[in-house]
């Protein structure tokens, strides 16, 4: 069926799809997609006949064009088509006006050839696809056959098992029915008579006891039969939905219980090895012993203790209970979870040489950071407030292909604890002494820390470029503290350097490498990492950041780290230049990102295998820290009566503070400095101290405790500032620790009660006593020493004993009230509310002043 529309130039033909054929030449073909409503489409073939171009004077004749049918559509079961026959030979040429035109041009022949080759290629592809489909169907059929065989085998096994279970249940029920009459008969026998079964010979007939008539039990219903039938199967569940079956294990337990009841057999007790921690609940102890918790409660009740299953008992009590119940005990401590975390032994063949860790120590402002600055060729001092190092920094430099790790420690006395930690985490200590100042107090402390840590010392005599420098004086004073340099006949290396001029820095590095070579420092890089936390802080953008020194092993991103009371997965490692690195070998300082919180500076860290172990260790440490804090707080607080009596007797005043700092080490230094300010009368009480910015919760804590807020190198956020302004709480910001300590010292001085100071004015002797009506007794006196002032304090002294202390009511000189009476003159004096005066008594006059005290 076809629709044809004729015109002058072309013909529109809509035909159904056919197989590949070759049409007449002289025609062009294309496809057109027709769109209908509801998304339906239809594709039609459009053939266009070309107009014949005739020569001038010739009559136009139509020229046939080749017709190309659409490509064959591949269906699920392809049909192999026959190859098209060769085209017929072209007709003889036609002569028109002396010009010969072939009916088929060269381009049309080439198009026919390409169509023929394409049909052959498609035919080969269809054959291959048909072969693959046949092979896939064969494989699917084989697999389905195997599945049917496996299903049939499983069904046969299930039926055999069900038949075996039914047979065993039937035998058990017959046995139970056979024993029931015998049990009823034995129950009627007198309790005093003992029933002894007689031994029966092999050939003798067995005489069974006469069984009384027992009413036959009613026939069980279908539901009971289904319940007793045993395990629920697929067939039974599909056949009857209301049936509810008992499991095979339940049936076995029921049979064993019935047998024990028949034979009165006690259950065999299982003895276990019970692992006991330091504390355990009664319920958990019962579970570990496989006993009932109510039995343990009864045991305690017999001992006179009323306990619940949730109560906690100690390990000694638990051991007594477990032994009483017949079990063996193995005691373990909670601290055992930390076993194998640190100090893992290494094989000697696994050790390789590692860089030395050098700590720069010395007195404040002797040029420690400037010296390290010159070595690193970087300006570190300009970043420190006031040119003073506020916390430990760790850096790594390279000299002649050998790396050296430097730890810069502050020199101020408030950082004693930090400097001690720096000495303990190091291999070599460089003692920086200024050539113009010589040995100072912090220099002596540094020597003590280095000797306590057992590390060798290299003396760097700095500032030799100054005109008043005297290196020989430094060497002589070091002898007093048992530091013998080589030039004085000792073994301690000393180098004269200048940090500002860069003098002899190479000699200092060579001395460090020489000392490291003598020490023969080695570590195993192919194991889990261990080390120490040098510094920790809470960064606003990166979260908790810990500066750690890897002492052994190699730390990599993705490792699970336990540092003090915190743990975390290492998210990134940042070196001292600020770049991220893939691994941190031994003796390398890095910043670690990814911890759950900020650890304490000086905490040791180690890598563990999984998160569960890390969480277990940190929970144990946090619980231990909480218990210590509670115990310390309880010891300080005591009862209310103790607090009141302590305040009345000691009069201790406290200055509460909330301290927030940039890093943990600075907070420790502030705490140590403020502790030293405290006296028996006043002290600073640190309500909370932590690393990070001042938050709204800090303000609320300060409001409830009446504390002041101190920020060291941190600032408060917008919400905290608004809350502090609303609550009227002052927030003080500091960047240098000296200023902070001075301000707190001034505030503590203000809490001191003023000192009562007496100033002697003069003495007067009573010469006569006058008794005046309506006035009382008045003493006529002569001022023997100093002077007497009205309003001053007076004492009445008799025989060198103070009889009365008070104030003067009146001071007269010839009937006139006067302000003071000088020495050698006579006057009349009367005491306020006191008249027991005698001739010869001495009146002492004094002035009381309240003087403000300072710490």
């Amino acid at each position: 069926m076809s629709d044809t529309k004729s015109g002058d130039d072309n013909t529109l033909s809509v035909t159904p799809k056919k197989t590949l054929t070759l049409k007449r030449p002289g025609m062009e073909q294309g496809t057109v997609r027709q769109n209908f409503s509801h998304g339906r489409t239809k594709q039609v073939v459009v053939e266009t006949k070309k107009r014949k171009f005739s020569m001038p004077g010739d009559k136009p004749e139509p020229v046939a064009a080749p017709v190309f049918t659409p490509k064959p559509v591949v269906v699920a079961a392809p049909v192999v088509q026959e190859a098209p026959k060769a085209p017929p030979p072209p007709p003889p040429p036609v002569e028109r006006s002396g010009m010969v035109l072939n009916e088929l041009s060269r381009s049309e022949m080439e198009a026919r050839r390409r169509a023929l080759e394409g049909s052959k290629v498609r035919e080969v592809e269809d054959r291959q696809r048909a072969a693959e489909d046949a092979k896939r169907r064969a494989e699917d059929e084989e697999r389905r056959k195997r599945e049917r065989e496996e299903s049939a085998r499983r069904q046969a096994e299930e039926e055999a098992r069900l038949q075996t279970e039914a047979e065993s249940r039937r035998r058990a029920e017959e046995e139970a029915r056979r024993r029931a009459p015998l049990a009823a008969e034995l129950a009627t026998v007198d309790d005093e008579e003992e029933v002894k079964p007689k031994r029966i010979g092999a050939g003798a007939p067995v005489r069974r006891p006469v069984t009384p008539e027992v009413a036959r039990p009613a026939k069980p219903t279908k539901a009971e039969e289904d319940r007793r039938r045993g395990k629920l199967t697929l067939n039974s569940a599909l056949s009857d939905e209301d049936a509810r079956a008992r499991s095979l294990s339940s049936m076995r337990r029921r049979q064993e219980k019935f047998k024990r009841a028949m034979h009165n057999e006690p259950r065999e007790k299982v003895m276990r090895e019970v692992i006991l921690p330091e504390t355990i609940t009664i319920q958990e102890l019962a579970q570990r012993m496989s006993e009932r918790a109510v039995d343990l409660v009864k045991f305690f009740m017999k001992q006179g203790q009323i306990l619940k299953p949730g109560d906690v008992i100690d390990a000694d009590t638990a051991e007594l209970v477990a032994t009483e119940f017949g079990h063996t005990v193995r005691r373990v401590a909670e601290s055992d979870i930390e076993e194998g975390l640190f100090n893992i032994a290494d094989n000697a063949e696994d050790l390789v040489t590692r860089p030395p860790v050098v700590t720069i120590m010395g007195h404040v402002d002797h040029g420690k950071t400037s010296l390290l600055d010159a070595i690193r060729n970087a300006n570190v001092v300009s970043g420190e407030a006031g040119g003073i190092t506020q916390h430990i920094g760790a850096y790594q430099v390279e000299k002649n292909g050998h790396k050296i790790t430097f730890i810069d420690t502050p020199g101020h006395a408030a950082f004693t604890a930090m400097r001690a930690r720096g000495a303990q985490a190091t291999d070599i200590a460089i003692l920086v002494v200024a050539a113009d100042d010589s040995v100072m107090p912090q220099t002596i402390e540094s020597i003590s820390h280095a000797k306590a840590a057992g590390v060798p010392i290299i003396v760097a005599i700095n500032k030799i470029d100054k005109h008043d420098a005297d290196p020989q004086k430094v060497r002589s004073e070091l002898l007093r503290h048992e530091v013998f340099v080589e030039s004085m006949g000792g073994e301690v290396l000393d180098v004269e350097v200048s940090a500002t001029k860069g003098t002899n820095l190479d000699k200092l590095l060579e001395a460090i490498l020489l000392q490291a070579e003598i020490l023969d420092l080695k570590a195993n890089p192919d194991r889990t990492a261990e080390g120490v936390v040098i510094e920790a802080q809470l960064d606003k953008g990166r979260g908790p950041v810990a500066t750690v020194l890897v002492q052994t092993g190699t730390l990599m991103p993705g490792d699970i780290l336990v540092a003090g009371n915190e743990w975390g997965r290492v998210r990134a490692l940042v070196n001292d230049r600020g770049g991220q690195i893939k691994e941190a070998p031994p003796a390398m300082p890095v910043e670690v990102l990814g911890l759950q919180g900020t650890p304490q500076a000086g905490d040791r860290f180690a890598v563990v295998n999984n998160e569960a172990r890390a969480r277990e260790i940190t929970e144990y440490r946090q619980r231990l820290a909480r218990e210590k804090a509670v115990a310390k707080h309880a010891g300080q607080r005591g009862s209310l009566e103790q607090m009141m009596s302590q305040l009345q007797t000691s009069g201790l005043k406290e200055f509460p503070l909330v301290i927030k700092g940039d890093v943990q080490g600075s907070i420790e230094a502030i705490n140590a400095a403020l502790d030293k300010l405290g006296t028996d009368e006043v002290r600073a009480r640190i309500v909370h101290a932590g690393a990070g910015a001042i938050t709204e919760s800090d303000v609320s804590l300060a409001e409830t405790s009446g504390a002041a807020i101190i920020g060291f190198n941190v600032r408060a956020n917008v919400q905290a500032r608004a809350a502090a302004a609303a609550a009227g709480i002052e927030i003080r910001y500091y960047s240098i620790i000296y200023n902070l300590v001075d301000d707190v010292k001034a505030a503590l001085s203000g809490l001191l009660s003023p000192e009562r100071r007496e100033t002697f004015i003069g003495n007067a002797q009573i010469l006569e006593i006058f008794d005046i009506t309506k006035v009382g007794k008045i003493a006529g006196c002569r001022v023997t020493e100093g002077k007497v002032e009205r309003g001053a304090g007076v004492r009445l002294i008799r025989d060198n004993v103070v009889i009365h202390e008070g104030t003067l009511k009146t001071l007269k000189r010839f009937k006139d009230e006067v302000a003071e009476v000088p020495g050698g003159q006579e006057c009349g004096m009367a005491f306020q509310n006191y008249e027991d005066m005698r001739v010869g008594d001495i009146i002492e006059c004094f002035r009381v002043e309240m003087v403000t005290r300072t710490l």
Side-chain angles (χ1 to χ4, degrees):
M1 180 179 179
S2 64
D3 298 333
T4 306
K5 181 181 178 182
S6 300
D8 296 336
D9 298 333
N10 54 40
T11 301
L12 178 63
S13 174
V14 181
T15 60
K17 295 181 180 179
K18 297 180 181 180
T19 58
L20 181 64
T21 58
L22 293 175
K23 297 293 183 180
R24 294 168 299 164
M27 298 180 66
E28 290 184 357
Q29 174 181 317
T31 58
V32 176
R33 183 180 295 275
Q34 294 180 337
N35 295 322
F36 301 97
S37 62
H38 303 290
R40 294 178 298 157
T41 60
K42 183 178 179 181
Q43 193 168 0
V44 298
V45 179
V46 179
E47 296 178 349
T48 305
K49 290 184 179 180
K50 291 184 178 179
R51 179 187 299 174
K52 179 182 177 182
F53 295 95
S54 59
M55 299 296 293
D58 290 346
K59 189 176 182 179
E61 291 182 2
V63 179
V67 179
F68 297 97
T69 58
K71 296 180 180 179
V73 180
V74 179
V75 294
V79 180
V80 181
Q81 299 175 352
E82 295 181 359
K85 297 179 180 180
V94 182
E95 285 188 10
R96 281 194 182 94
S97 303
M99 184 176 183
V100 179
L101 294 175
N102 286 332
E103 189 176 354
L104 293 177
S105 65
R106 184 177 294 127
S107 61
E108 291 170 345
M109 292 296 292
E110 184 67 23
R112 279 191 174 192
R113 188 183 60 79
R114 283 199 304 269
L116 185 60
E117 290 176 355
S119 64
K120 289 181 181 180
V121 171
R122 284 193 295 275
E123 183 179 355
V124 173
E125 291 177 355
D126 292 342
R127 287 200 189 104
Q128 292 177 354
R129 198 176 294 111
E132 291 175 358
D133 291 341
K135 182 179 179 182
R136 193 180 302 110
R137 283 195 298 272
E139 291 176 353
D140 292 344
E141 184 63 28
E142 182 67 24
R143 181 175 52 79
R144 283 194 292 269
K145 182 179 178 181
R146 285 198 303 270
E147 290 178 354
R148 285 195 298 271
E149 291 175 355
E150 182 68 19
S151 177
R153 185 181 62 78
R154 283 200 298 268
Q155 188 172 2
E157 290 178 356
E158 181 71 15
E159 290 175 356
R161 188 180 61 79
L162 291 175
Q163 187 175 357
T164 305
E165 291 177 0
E167 184 66 24
S168 63
R169 283 197 300 274
R170 186 181 60 76
R171 285 199 298 269
E173 290 172 359
E174 288 179 357
E175 182 70 17
R177 283 197 298 271
R178 187 178 64 79
R179 289 179 178 274
L182 180 59
E185 183 179 359
L186 291 176
T188 59
V189 180
D190 188 52
D191 295 338
E192 297 178 358
E193 183 178 353
E194 185 178 358
V195 181
K196 296 183 179 179
K198 295 181 180 180
R199 188 182 297 271
I200 302 175
V206 179
R207 292 186 61 188
R208 298 187 180 277
V210 180
T211 59
E213 289 292 330
V214 181
R216 289 189 177 184
K219 188 175 181 180
T221 61
K222 184 177 185 304
E224 274 190 329
E225 287 180 354
D226 291 338
R227 185 170 55 82
R228 290 182 174 185
R229 190 168 55 197
K231 194 170 185 180
L232 182 65
T233 61
L234 186 61
N235 293 330
S236 61
L238 292 175
S239 61
D240 190 359
E241 295 179 357
D242 297 332
R244 184 179 178 184
R246 295 173 69 95
S247 66
L248 186 59
S249 300
S250 175
M251 294 296 296
R252 287 174 182 164
R253 288 195 299 268
R254 185 177 178 187
Q255 290 174 11
E256 290 175 2
K257 185 177 180 182
F258 182 74
K259 288 178 182 179
R260 285 197 303 270
M262 292 296 296
H263 298 282
N264 198 16
E265 295 177 356
R267 180 180 293 182
E268 183 181 358
K269 187 175 181 64
V270 179
M271 302 302 176
R272 299 180 180 275
E273 184 186 32
V274 183
I275 299 176
L276 294 180
E278 295 175 359
T279 57
I280 190 172
T281 62
I282 295 177
Q283 180 72 42
E284 188 177 357
L285 178 61
Q287 291 175 357
R288 295 189 182 191
M289 295 193 303
S290 295
E291 304 281 353
R292 296 189 306 165
V294 67
D295 293 338
L296 270 68
V297 172
K298 288 179 182 178
F299 175 78
F300 281 110
M301 290 179 68
K302 289 179 183 178
Q303 304 298 324
Q305 291 180 297
I306 307 299
L307 296 177
K308 302 186 296 296
D311 290 340
V312 179
I313 58 177
D314 58 0
D316 295 333
T317 308
E319 184 176 359
L320 290 175
V321 174
T323 308
E324 190 70 25
F325 277 81
H327 301 284
T328 58
V329 172
R330 181 160 64 91
R331 296 277 290 269
V332 296
E334 280 188 311
S335 57
D336 292 345
I337 62 175
E338 294 187 351
E339 285 186 359
L341 191 62
F342 296 110
N343 302 325
I344 302 173
D346 293 320
N347 297 325
E349 58 270 13
D350 296 334
L351 300 178
V352 297
T353 304
R354 66 169 175 84
V357 180
V358 180
T359 299
I360 297 183
M361 309 172 77
H363 190 72
V364 62
D365 200 26
H366 272 205
K368 299 179 299 300
T369 309
S370 299
L371 181 62
L372 182 61
D373 178 20
I375 294 172
R376 293 180 63 224
N377 295 323
N379 192 1
V380 179
V381 173
S382 61
E384 298 284 359
I388 302 165
T389 307
Q390 303 291 324
H391 51 267
I392 295 180
Y395 317 98
Q396 198 167 46
V397 300
E398 191 167 344
K399 169 69 175 175
N400 298 333
H402 299 282
K403 291 184 177 179
I404 305 173
T405 300
F406 285 94
I407 297 178
D408 180 22
T409 57
H412 188 256
F415 294 87
T416 303
M418 295 169 63
R419 187 167 56 247
R421 271 203 307 275
Q424 290 166 4
T426 190
D427 303 315
I428 302 169
I430 294 184
L431 185 65
V432 179
V433 187
D436 54 348
D437 279 352
S438 191
V439 177
M440 300 297 275
Q442 276 78 44
T443 312
I444 302 170
E445 286 184 18
S446 302
I447 295 171
S448 302
H449 291 315
K451 288 184 176 180
V455 296
I457 298 175
I458 297 176
V459 178
I461 303 174
N462 195 17
K463 302 183 181 180
I464 60 169
D465 55 323
K466 290 195 173 184
H467 67 279
D468 55 347
D470 189 359
Q472 196 60 34
K473 180 184 176 183
V474 174
R475 296 186 180 97
S476 301
E477 291 192 3
L478 287 175
L479 292 176
R480 301 179 189 174
H481 306 286
E482 299 181 357
V483 177
F484 306 105
V485 298
E486 283 186 335
S487 58
M488 307 288 286
E491 296 181 354
V492 177
L493 299 174
D494 64 308
V495 183
E496 297 181 7
V497 297
S498 171
T500 55
K501 304 290 184 182
T503 310
N504 292 337
L505 295 183
D506 291 340
K507 290 185 179 180
L508 179 62
L509 294 178
E510 288 172 1
I512 294 171
L513 293 176
L514 176 63
Q515 188 69 53
E517 188 176 351
I518 296 171
L519 293 174
D520 192 21
L521 304 169
K522 291 187 176 182
N524 180 11
D526 301 326
R527 51 159 287 183
T528 56
E530 289 182 20
V532 64
V533 178
I534 298 176
E535 196 49 80
Q537 60 182 341
L538 188 63
D539 193 277
K540 185 176 181 181
R542 301 184 294 172
V545 179
T547 304
V548 303
L549 176 67
V550 182
Q551 293 176 320
T552 182
T554 302
L555 187 63
M556 300 182 184
D559 287 346
I560 300 172
L561 201 69
V562 175
N565 297 344
E566 305 295 340
W567 74 278
R569 187 181 292 274
V570 179
R571 202 168 65 239
L573 297 175
V574 182
N575 60 11
D576 57 330
R577 303 288 181 180
Q580 289 199 14
I581 56 176
K582 296 297 182 183
E583 60 179 22
M588 184 172 188
V590 288
E591 285 187 341
V592 176
L593 279 66
L595 292 174
Q596 303 287 331
T598 53
Q600 299 292 326
D603 286 341
R604 295 183 67 187
F605 77 86
V607 173
V608 296
N609 297 329
N610 49 43
E611 292 185 5
R613 176 163 165 76
R615 203 175 285 112
E616 188 180 13
I617 293 172
T618 52
E619 285 175 356
Y620 162 70
R621 290 179 174 177
Q622 289 169 1
R623 185 169 66 252
L624 210 63
R626 281 196 302 269
E627 290 172 356
K628 286 183 180 178
V630 168
K632 181 180 178 182
H633 191 55
Q636 291 177 349
R637 183 180 59 189
S639 64
L640 184 61
E641 293 82 2
Q642 291 173 352
M643 288 176 61
M644 296 302 294
S645 63
Q646 183 182 4
L647 285 174
Q648 290 175 358
T649 55
S650 65
L652 180 65
K653 296 180 181 179
E654 292 183 337
F655 183 41
L657 291 172
V658 173
I659 298 175
K660 297 301 286 290
D662 54 346
V663 293
Q664 200 69 36
S666 302
I667 294 167
E668 284 191 8
I670 293 170
N671 290 350
L674 296 184
D675 282 343
K676 293 179 181 178
L677 294 179
T679 64
D680 294 338
E681 296 183 42
V682 293
R683 69 182 179 91
R685 179 168 64 89
I686 298 173
V687 179
H688 172 67
I694 300 172
T695 60
E696 200 172 356
S697 61
D698 298 326
V699 176
S700 60
L701 178 62
E703 184 179 3
T704 53
S705 58
I709 300 177
I710 290 178
F712 186 77
N713 284 336
V714 295
R715 290 295 182 268
N717 55 29
V718 179
Q719 295 85 356
R721 286 199 298 270
I729 295 174
E730 183 184 11
I731 301 177
R732 302 290 293 270
Y733 300 113
Y734 297 94
S735 59
I736 299 179
I737 195 170
Y738 309 136
N739 300 340
L740 187 151
V741 174
D742 291 343
D743 285 1
V744 174
K745 186 176 181 180
L748 290 177
S749 300
L751 290 179
L752 287 173
S753 57
E755 183 181 356
R756 185 176 182 272
R757 186 177 298 174
E758 281 187 8
T759 303
F760 174 77
I761 299 177
N763 282 341
Q765 186 178 7
I766 298 178
L767 303 178
E768 192 75 32
I769 301 296
F770 303 99
D771 195 353
I772 301 175
T773 308
K774 296 182 182 181
V775 176
K777 290 185 178 181
I778 292 179
C781 310
R782 179 186 291 117
V783 179
T784 58
E785 184 180 356
K787 63 180 180 179
V788 176
E789 293 181 355
R790 188 176 61 182
V794 289
R795 292 189 184 94
L796 182 64
I797 300 174
R798 185 180 300 157
D799 298 331
N800 294 324
V801 177
V802 177
I803 302 299
H804 173 72
E805 182 175 342
T807 57
L808 286 178
K809 181 172 66 174
T810 179
L811 177 64
K812 289 191 176 185
R813 168 91 174 143
F814 300 117
K815 297 183 180 181
D816 296 330
E817 286 283 343
V818 292
E820 65 177 35
V821 178
Q825 296 184 2
E826 295 181 353
C827 62
M829 286 188 285
F831 286 89
Q832 189 80 33
N833 299 326
Y834 188 78
E835 293 185 348
D836 186 15
M837 298 174 289
R838 300 179 187 178
V839 176
D841 291 348
I842 302 296
I843 297 176
E844 182 185 78
C845 187
F846 60 91
R847 186 186 301 115
V848 177
E849 295 175 348
M850 306 303 289
V851 181
T852 304
R853 297 162 58 202
T854 58
L855 286 175

